[in-house]
Amino acid sequence: MEKKKQVLSCIQPTGDMHFGNYFGAVKNWVDLQQKYDCIYGVVDYHAMTMPYSPKKLRENTWALIFNLIATGIKPEFLFIQSLIPEHAELCWIFNCFASYGQLTRMTQFKDKSTHGNEQDSGGFISAGLLDYPVLQAADILIYQADYVPVGKDQEQHLELSRNIAQRFNNQVGKEYFVLPETLFTEVPKVKSTADPSRKMSKSAGEKHYINVFGDEARIRKQIRSAVTDTGDSTSGEMSAGIQNLFELLKAGEQLDAYDQLMKEYENGTLKYVALKDAVADTLVNISNEFKARRKELDSNKKEVKNQIKASSANIRKKAQQTLRDVKELSGLMNVKF
Ligand code: TRP
């Protein structure tokens, strides 16, 4: 049997998981587990690149781990980045193969380092923020990943990872690293229900995201108050708010309801409240299932944490092997272990 391709992706521990994260990334990760060897990381080193709270960082890291398992990610595929310090060591080595100019041109760096933007760094721009994509390259290449499922916004970082891999290979005279490819999957683009012109995200504030593990009443309220009339209805096109509600229904795999309500929309008989109720029910059902699993995991906290420490230690072995090879190839010394 042919060896399965290696998939790798990571997510930053930034607090609540919202339906944009779930439908746009995590659900896809769950599905990919069927077909590929997968490694998924919670990247806490990355979360230090913007002003942050040390206490919350550790809390958020564990919370995200528990949430990921509750949504269906297999614990044996999960690692916590800071439990595998080789990522940081490889990052240093890659710094010397990464172009400073290219790093300064990264869109994400420019966005996050520009004063007055949504994700304001409060005036302090760390060198870590500039270096962020090099650490990401280390995350990817340390596991010799074939495919990296990420959104379009990460394409530049993937390109940088390939550039680093290529430059390393050229320098050491060996095709050591495989060049990782972006795995684009059609994923729903979930918008904020409070302002459907922007994507669902935490950085815009509480009303702009719906927490997957949130309170049922709050989920229903957020859907009930979803903006449906965005002023573009005279154009005869479906408003962004209605589109978003249909998108959520489809993302939640309620295809019969979707077809039925879409027919009503086309005949001009759709009652928005019926659409909203269907969407709210869909999200609440998903949420309830995940919350039940989360509750179970919470009652075995210690065990789950130990399991993740063990899976990280196991995944670390691969990282250590790569680092050993890299140090050998690049003229560095290897510590015996
Ligand atoms: N930069 C990614 C994001 O913001 C997170 C990330 C860090 C990542 N390391 C990675 C994604 C490695 C894929 C592979 O979404």
Side-chain angles (χ1 to χ4, degrees), residues 246-264:
F246 273 112
E247 189 74 10
L248 284 166
L249 208 50
K250 191 157 76 183
E253 297 177 7
Q254 298 305 304
L255 300 185
D256 290 344
Y258 179 94
D259 288 345
Q260 174 62 35
L261 292 161
M262 189 56 93
K263 231 180 265 155
E264 293 176 16

Side-chain angles (χ1 to χ4, degrees), residues 8-10 43 46 132 136 139-140 148 150 154:
L8 172 125
S9 200
C10 302
V43 288
H46 276 103
Y132 178 112
Q136 182 165 349
D139 298 336
I140 297 167
V148 186
V150 281
Q154 295 296 313

Side-chain angles (χ1 to χ4, degrees), residues 33 59 124 142 172 184 204 233 236 250 300 325 333:
Q33 297 180 126
E59 239 174 65
F124 177 71
I142 209 163
V172 306
F184 281 125
S233 48
K250 191 157 76 183
N300 292 309
D325 295 344
M333 305 291 169

Side-chain angles (χ1 to χ4, degrees), residues 22-33 40 149 183 185 187:
Y22 176 65
F23 288 134
V26 176
K27 185 168 188 285
N28 187 34
W29 290 12
V30 173
D31 297 340
L32 290 169
Q33 297 180 126
Y40 297 126
L183 188 67
T185 324
V187 288

Side-chain angles (χ1 to χ4, degrees), residues 8-186:
L8 172 125
S9 200
C10 302
I11 184 169
Q12 280 199 55
T14 50
D16 297 337
M17 180 191 293
H18 59 67
F19 278 98
N21 304 135
Y22 176 65
F23 288 134
V26 176
K27 185 168 188 285
N28 187 34
W29 290 12
V30 173
D31 297 340
L32 290 169
Q33 297 180 126
Q34 308 275 347
K35 228 172 113 188
Y36 299 105
D37 272 335
C38 297
I39 298 180
Y40 297 126
V42 172
V43 288
D44 48 354
Y45 285 137
H46 276 103
M48 306 172 73
T49 57
M50 292 289 271
Y52 79 104
S53 139
K55 182 170 171 287
K56 272 214 192 121
L57 177 56
R58 193 171 296 123
E59 239 174 65
N60 287 346
T61 299
W62 281 121
L64 181 53
I65 287 283
F66 279 72
N67 287 347
L68 287 169
I69 300 172
T71 57
I73 302 288
K74 295 182 186 164
E76 63 269 30
F77 289 160
L78 273 175
F79 75 88
I80 296 174
Q81 192 185 31
S82 61
L83 287 176
I84 310 186
E86 284 75 12
H87 286 238
E89 190 176 353
L90 186 59
C91 174
W92 174 259
I93 297 173
F94 281 173
N95 276 329
C96 304
F97 292 88
S99 151
Y100 169 76
Q102 193 177 1
L103 290 181
T104 61
R105 289 191 296 274
M106 291 285 151
T107 313
Q108 188 176 299
F109 173 69
K110 285 197 274 188
D111 283 349
K112 291 190 177 176
S113 61
T114 304
H115 184 65
N117 273 1
E118 206 165 87
Q119 302 184 42
D120 204 321
S121 64
F124 177 71
I125 299 158
S126 72
L129 187 63
L130 177 71
D131 208 32
Y132 178 112
V134 181
L135 181 58
Q136 182 165 349
D139 298 336
I140 297 167
L141 296 170
I142 209 163
Y143 302 112
Q144 325 267 352
D146 299 294
Y147 299 132
V148 186
V150 281
K152 282 253 184 296
D153 64 321
Q154 295 296 313
E155 184 49 39
Q156 245 188 349
H157 291 168
L158 260 290
E159 191 57 39
L160 179 87
S161 302
R162 285 188 289 270
N163 294 153
I164 290 174
Q166 193 89 66
R167 204 170 292 115
F168 180 89
N169 289 350
N170 289 344
Q171 171 84 51
V172 306
K174 186 175 175 188
E175 292 302 303
Y176 179 72
F177 284 115
V178 253
L179 304 189
E181 282 174 47
T182 312
L183 188 67
F184 281 125
T185 324
E186 260 319 306

